[in-house]
Amino acid sequence: MNDRAFGVDIGGSGVKGAPVDLSDGVLLAERMRIPTPTDGGPDEVFEAVRGVVDAFAWDGPVGVTVPGVVNAGIVRSAVNLSGDWSSLDAAARLEAVLKVRVSVVNDADAAGLAEAAYGAGKGIAGLVMVLTFGTGIGSALILDGVLVPNTEFGHLEFNGMEAEHYAAARLHEDGPLSFEEWANRANEVINHFAFIFSPDLVIVGGGISKEFDRLAAHLTVPTRVVPATLRNGAGIVGAAMLTRGPQDDV
Ligand code: BGC
């Protein structure tokens, strides 16, 4: 049985991909990155995906992440991408471009599944909540290894606004908040989500996980909170895993 698949992670700044060994979640080659076209729509982004996949001459199944809600390959919304992604059958469009079987999944779901299987959540029984802090706030819930897709906690209301408008890492990285101000807000939001869902473990991912020790000094969450360990490979690994999943059976 061939246990290799290809994962592509579409982010706000880069489209990144690599072949993945699904037996251990390890990238089989250094990932390829092409800057995300910012002034185009989905077609330009799909061409970047093709560029990444072609660089490896890959002709097997491909999993692709999108920073938005995805049901059976159809993108319902992607508020942090330019152009019109709403109601787009991204899986069908990508299959036409790549000429292989394609699964499309939410970016945080992919990263969360990979962390639960091979990273910070490996071997943890019960409910794992993964939160990614970046341009937005992504979320994933994994119960005993099974993903509940499209949880989108970043859009839950907190302090009269969407949680990601209050505590996304970009408010510190490109915006007005100092690290301490952002970390205190992130702590409030993590506490709120943990209070509602009572997870057994919270994993913090996204670019900010590199600074987890600084964030940890501000955390008062009664649940164990740990940094993601797969770093920026998690989306690629999770996308590759979901080529074998039931929910995007295109
Ligand atoms: C989107 C999510 C995504 C998150 C992180 C949010 O704005 O709605 O689908 O997972 O950003 O990229």
Side-chain angles (χ1 to χ4, degrees), residues 45-190:
V45 174
F46 294 157
E47 280 307 312
V49 173
R50 189 222 296 261
V52 169
V53 175
D54 282 358
F56 295 87
W58 180 265
D59 62 1
V62 173
V64 178
T65 75
V66 171
V69 175
V70 186
N71 290 124
I74 299 173
V75 180
R76 301 293 174 194
S77 72
V79 294
N80 292 319
L81 283 178
S82 65
D84 191 9
W85 289 76
S86 184
S87 301
L88 185 77
D89 192 340
R93 295 271 287 272
L94 277 162
E95 289 192 336
V97 171
L98 299 176
K99 311 271 190 294
V100 296
R101 185 180 180 282
V102 178
S103 306
V104 179
V105 299
N106 173 263
D107 58 353
D109 282 343
L113 202 60
E115 285 293 335
Y118 307 112
K122 187 174 176 189
I124 301 287
L127 187 63
V128 175
M129 176 188 286
V130 182
L131 299 172
T132 64
F133 288 87
T135 308
I137 298 178
S139 61
L141 273 188
I142 298 104
L143 178 62
D144 292 328
V146 177
L147 173 72
V148 180
N150 295 312
T151 46
E152 296 285 323
F153 296 158
H155 301 293
L156 285 180
E157 187 181 322
F158 187 78
N159 264 5
M161 65 183 91
E162 290 185 44
E164 73 175 23
H165 294 165
Y166 184 69
R170 91 180 127 90
L171 293 169
H172 153 60
E173 288 161 346
D174 316 316
L177 301 184
S178 69
F179 185 87
E180 282 63 37
E181 288 168 328
W182 169 77
N184 285 327
R185 288 189 182 196
N187 176 51
E188 289 178 74
V189 163
I190 298 170

Side-chain angles (χ1 to χ4, degrees), residues 193-217:
F193 296 164
F195 173 71
I196 299 173
F197 295 99
S198 300
D200 295 288
L201 178 72
V202 177
I203 300 174
V204 173
I208 206 76
S209 59
K210 291 195 287 288
E211 302 206 69
F212 182 80
D213 288 348
R214 284 177 78 197
L215 170 63

